[in-house]
Amino acid sequence: MKTHTSANSADPLPGGVQLVKVDEDRDGQRIDNFLSGRLKGVPRSLIYRILRTGQVRINGRRAKPDVRLNAGDEVRIPPVRVAEREDPGTPAPGQMSRVEQSIVHEDRDFLVLDKPSGVASHGGSGISFGAIELLRAARPKDTLELVHRLDRDTSGVLVFSRRRSALTALQAEIREGRATKRYMALLQGRLAQARITINEPLRKSILQGGERMVRVDAAGKPSVSHLIRQQQFADAALCEIAIETGRTHQIRVHAAHIGHAVAGDEKYGERAFNQRMRELGLKRLFLHAMRFEFEIGERSYSFTAAMPEELRSVVNALERQR
């Protein structure tokens, strides 16, 4: 049985195929986030599975997880059996307290975390609670949405919207390349130049179970990263990195592609280098989102997060070895 609904209508437990028309306020939203909002409580791993297997269609065509919707699109959502739903329960008070203590800014439009390393942006792929689920549990009266994402092991500035209008406005700034995002990273080896621009397309694959792998591929999406060396050590360089695009794992894959992988990167990095950095006390990925700046209308925003002490101590150890 097929049912036709509006994206803003009440959503019963899905027992048959739904054909949902996308309303104006969902224009520009990613399909995976749209489905998460429609299928409350369904794990992200299942959402990626129905996308990967072609069960979700937009205007009759198979939908990729990162495609963005347009107002008026018709989305086919397949039946999701209640038995497939996983109730993650309630987050532990300590988990909610940890993210609340990490809030660095909040106003009527935005809430900003200095996200700790090890906390995912959202749940899924075996993770019951990401930052967004923890904040929603801690603040049930707020209407919070993720504006962008950070890798689980990346720390730093993570922005949430508190109003739909703020979400769409900031996401438009990001899409148009008008938002400034800067990171600090410790990279492997000696950089031959103080400034390096990496302009290489990236292609993402979603493996079974929802794991994401990214590689440089001519068929991928345009991706640009700018590396600015801050300090050079014997076999590592501390760099500020500005990104023009926000692809999944962009900094990590670009850095590894030019032979200067991010320290502590277990997926794309080099084992021997990571071991040397562990001996200096590095216990995580050395990638930190330190600044996020943008303008909406006549108002300017600048959110910052200082380098965590566990990363600063590694830099201090490298300085002592000079």
Side-chain angles (χ1 to χ4, degrees):
M1 180 184 73
K2 294 182 179 180
T3 59
H4 288 74
T5 66
S6 163
N8 284 337
S9 65
D11 183 28
L13 290 177
V17 171
Q18 298 180 73
L19 295 178
V20 181
K21 186 175 181 180
V22 177
D23 289 336
E24 289 287 344
D25 67 347
R26 299 296 170 183
D27 186 77
Q29 187 174 33
R30 280 174 46 134
I31 183 63
D32 54 349
N33 294 332
F34 179 82
L35 293 173
S36 291
R38 295 291 302 179
L39 303 174
K40 300 292 187 183
V42 172
R44 297 284 291 200
S45 58
L46 179 54
I47 286 172
Y48 283 123
R49 188 190 313 158
I50 62 176
L51 283 164
R52 188 174 60 248
T53 54
Q55 297 179 62
V56 178
R57 294 178 179 265
I58 302 172
N59 302 326
R61 303 181 65 177
R62 293 177 64 151
K64 296 182 178 180
D66 58 353
V67 72
R68 293 186 183 276
L69 296 166
N70 295 309
D73 282 347
E74 185 178 73
V75 180
R76 177 195 186 275
I77 304 177
V80 179
R81 294 198 306 272
V82 176
E84 291 182 289
R85 293 174 177 262
E86 298 173 8
D87 181 6
T90 302
Q95 290 179 292
M96 291 186 285
S97 175
R98 186 184 184 195
V99 294
E100 284 205 290
Q101 290 172 7
S102 300
I103 294 171
V104 294
H105 173 88
E106 57 181 311
D107 57 29
R108 69 172 189 168
D109 290 323
F110 300 107
L111 184 149
V112 183
L113 287 187
D114 180 358
K115 186 186 78 67
S117 176
V119 175
S121 295
H122 57 72
S125 300
I127 300 169
S128 297
F129 305 110
I132 182 63
E133 290 85 10
L134 293 171
L135 282 172
R136 285 171 175 166
R139 299 186 169 204
K141 294 183 179 180
D142 280 11
T143 303
L144 295 167
E145 297 285 351
L146 265 174
V147 175
H148 64 114
R149 291 168 174 75
L150 292 178
D151 292 347
R152 181 180 183 182
D153 294 328
T154 301
S155 56
V157 176
L158 184 61
V159 182
F160 303 82
S161 66
R162 302 181 81 170
R163 297 197 302 169
R164 181 71 192 172
S165 59
L167 174 67
T168 56
L170 179 47
Q171 287 185 333
E173 294 298 300
I174 294 171
R175 283 197 305 274
E176 296 300 320
R178 294 191 292 264
T180 298
K181 291 185 280 187
R182 292 186 180 268
Y183 297 74
M184 290 299 291
L186 186 69
L187 305 185
Q188 177 182 356
R190 300 186 66 86
L191 270 64
Q193 300 169 277
R195 292 174 177 263
I196 300 172
T197 292
I198 308 167
N199 187 349
E200 296 287 353
L202 298 177
R203 187 172 184 178
K204 178 172 64 175
S205 300
I206 299 177
L207 306 180
Q208 188 170 5
E211 181 184 1
R212 295 170 294 177
M213 289 293 294
V214 181
R215 67 182 186 277
V216 170
D217 190 312
K221 294 183 177 180
S223 307
V224 182
S225 304
H226 303 283
L227 279 60
I228 305 169
R229 186 179 63 208
Q230 300 295 312
Q231 291 180 268
Q232 181 65 65
F233 306 105
D235 63 347
L238 183 66
C239 294
E240 179 178 320
I241 302 177
I243 57 174
E244 292 186 18
T245 50
R247 311 301 181 202
T248 300
H249 298 173
Q250 177 174 323
I251 292 173
R252 298 164 63 187
V253 177
H254 271 173
H257 179 69
I258 64 170
H260 297 287
V262 177
D265 192 338
E266 301 294 338
K267 181 171 287 191
Y268 304 107
E270 201 263 337
R271 182 177 299 178
F273 173 67
N274 286 342
Q275 177 59 39
R276 291 197 297 276
M277 294 302 102
R278 277 196 294 272
E279 292 169 359
L280 295 178
L282 182 63
K283 299 178 181 179
R284 49 159 288 195
L285 181 74
F286 200 124
L287 184 58
H288 178 69
M290 67 175 184
R291 188 160 68 252
F292 193 120
E293 297 176 334
F294 57 92
E295 294 181 2
I296 295 180
E298 297 182 353
R299 185 171 181 182
S300 297
Y301 295 83
S302 181
F303 304 131
T304 60
M307 185 185 296
E309 181 56 36
E310 71 263 22
L311 299 185
R312 173 54 59 189
S313 66
V314 175
V315 175
N316 292 341
L318 286 166
E319 290 174 338
R320 290 193 294 270
Q321 288 187 346
R322 281 177 167 173

